[in-house]
Amino acid sequence: MKKLRILAILSLFGLVAFACSQALSPVNLTFGPGKKPDEVSNSLQILAMLTVLSLAPAIMILTTAFTRIVIIFSFVRSALGTQSIPPNQVLIGLSLFMTFFVMAPTFSEVNTKALKPYQEKQISYDQAIKEAQKPVRAFMLKNTYEKDLSLFLDMRAEQPRTAEDVSLTSLIPAFIISELKTAFIVGFYIFVPFIVIDLIVASGLMSMGMMMLPPTVVSLPAKILVFILADGWHTIVQAIMQGYQ
């Protein structure tokens, strides 16, 4: 619960910062009976936007690069054997800022093709929603395995002709399990060298007859040293970024 609370707070701060950067005009909310159809429609749109904001943490986690990044960093900490170093706040914060970095071209395209034209009243609300979905859909399709997407499409007997015909109800869960699969593959490669170090240290201690000394006492500094010499954080972040190019 503590992790979810911290994640929700950080996600809301990110959304507020993004909204402020777009220099949105002030919004005045007034309550009263709607006398015109347009007033009722605008009220429903505001209600829908507030609902989306309440689901912002889930949307932030499941439709962006956050899932893969935070899981890979968790694997790194587990492979090193450090229980709480780096702390959860650091891992989540770094994952969020890396997510903003990876998703910056997508967010910029949404802002250019959907948000700004809608603010300038060049397109309608429905058109803005459709235009905003296109770059997000393209990002998810690019990072989704065909096998995972076919799983959900076959369950509903969907046969989309183009990428735009793929429904979000099928694309989002396929994207999530694809991100989980990729994160676990990267985590496996991260664990292998550290397991080798543990085996070498354990066999060395047994050969010297030092069975009472816990292997982690010796292997932990060795793994940290190898991680530093290999410039581990730079290598892992570089690998994550290249995976999204």
Side-chain angles (χ1 to χ4, degrees):
M1 293 299 295
K2 184 177 180 181
K3 293 181 180 179
L4 293 176
R5 191 180 305 169
I6 295 173
L7 180 60
I9 293 173
L10 291 174
S11 300
L12 289 176
F13 274 122
L15 289 171
V16 171
F18 180 77
C20 292
S21 65
Q22 303 303 322
L24 297 177
S25 58
V27 178
N28 296 322
L29 296 179
T30 58
F31 297 91
K35 299 180 180 179
K36 299 180 180 179
D38 293 340
E39 295 178 356
V40 177
S41 177
N42 292 334
S43 301
L44 293 176
Q45 291 178 9
I46 293 174
L47 180 61
M49 292 176 63
L50 293 176
T51 304
V52 171
L53 287 177
S54 65
L55 300 175
I59 297 174
M60 175 68 189
I61 293 173
L62 301 179
T63 61
T64 62
F66 181 84
T67 302
R68 183 194 301 188
I69 295 172
V70 74
I71 291 176
I72 291 175
F73 285 155
S74 299
F75 273 122
V76 172
R77 186 172 64 180
S78 300
L80 284 172
T82 54
Q83 296 294 330
S84 58
I85 300 174
N88 293 329
Q89 294 87 342
V90 175
L91 289 183
I92 293 174
L94 178 59
S95 301
L96 277 173
F97 280 103
M98 285 187 60
T99 301
F100 292 145
F101 182 84
V102 171
M103 300 298 297
T106 303
F107 291 157
S108 177
E109 189 173 354
V110 171
N111 181 46
T112 303
K113 295 184 177 180
L115 184 58
K116 283 187 176 180
Y118 176 70
Q119 289 179 341
E120 296 173 358
K121 298 182 179 181
Q122 297 178 357
I123 59 177
S124 64
Y125 177 79
D126 294 335
Q127 291 176 339
I129 294 296
K130 291 180 180 180
E131 292 296 328
Q133 288 181 4
K134 291 181 180 179
V136 178
R137 187 192 303 272
F139 173 81
M140 289 192 290
L141 283 172
K142 181 181 178 182
N143 296 281
T144 301
Y145 294 105
E146 293 183 3
K147 181 180 179 180
D148 297 331
L149 183 59
S150 299
L151 171 66
F152 292 95
L153 292 178
D154 293 340
M155 286 183 178
R156 291 194 171 185
E158 297 183 16
Q159 296 180 351
R161 296 181 179 179
T162 62
E164 295 182 356
D165 296 334
V166 178
S167 62
L168 291 178
T169 54
S170 299
L171 177 58
I172 292 177
F175 171 75
I176 295 169
I177 62 175
S178 296
E179 289 290 278
L180 290 174
K181 180 179 179 180
T182 304
F184 273 70
I185 292 173
V186 176
F188 170 78
Y189 286 110
I190 291 173
F191 258 96
V192 170
F194 295 112
I195 291 177
V196 173
I197 295 174
D198 287 332
L199 292 175
I200 293 173
V201 171
S203 61
L205 292 176
M206 290 184 65
S207 64
M208 291 186 294
M210 302 176 65
M211 298 182 181
M212 299 301 294
L213 179 65
T216 55
V217 175
V218 180
S219 64
L220 180 59
K223 288 189 288 187
I224 293 176
L225 179 61
V226 171
F227 191 73
I228 293 173
L229 293 177
D231 199 4
W233 291 113
H234 175 85
T235 304
I236 291 171
V237 171
Q238 184 180 13
I240 292 174
M241 295 302 179
Q242 289 178 349
Y244 285 105
Q245 290 181 356

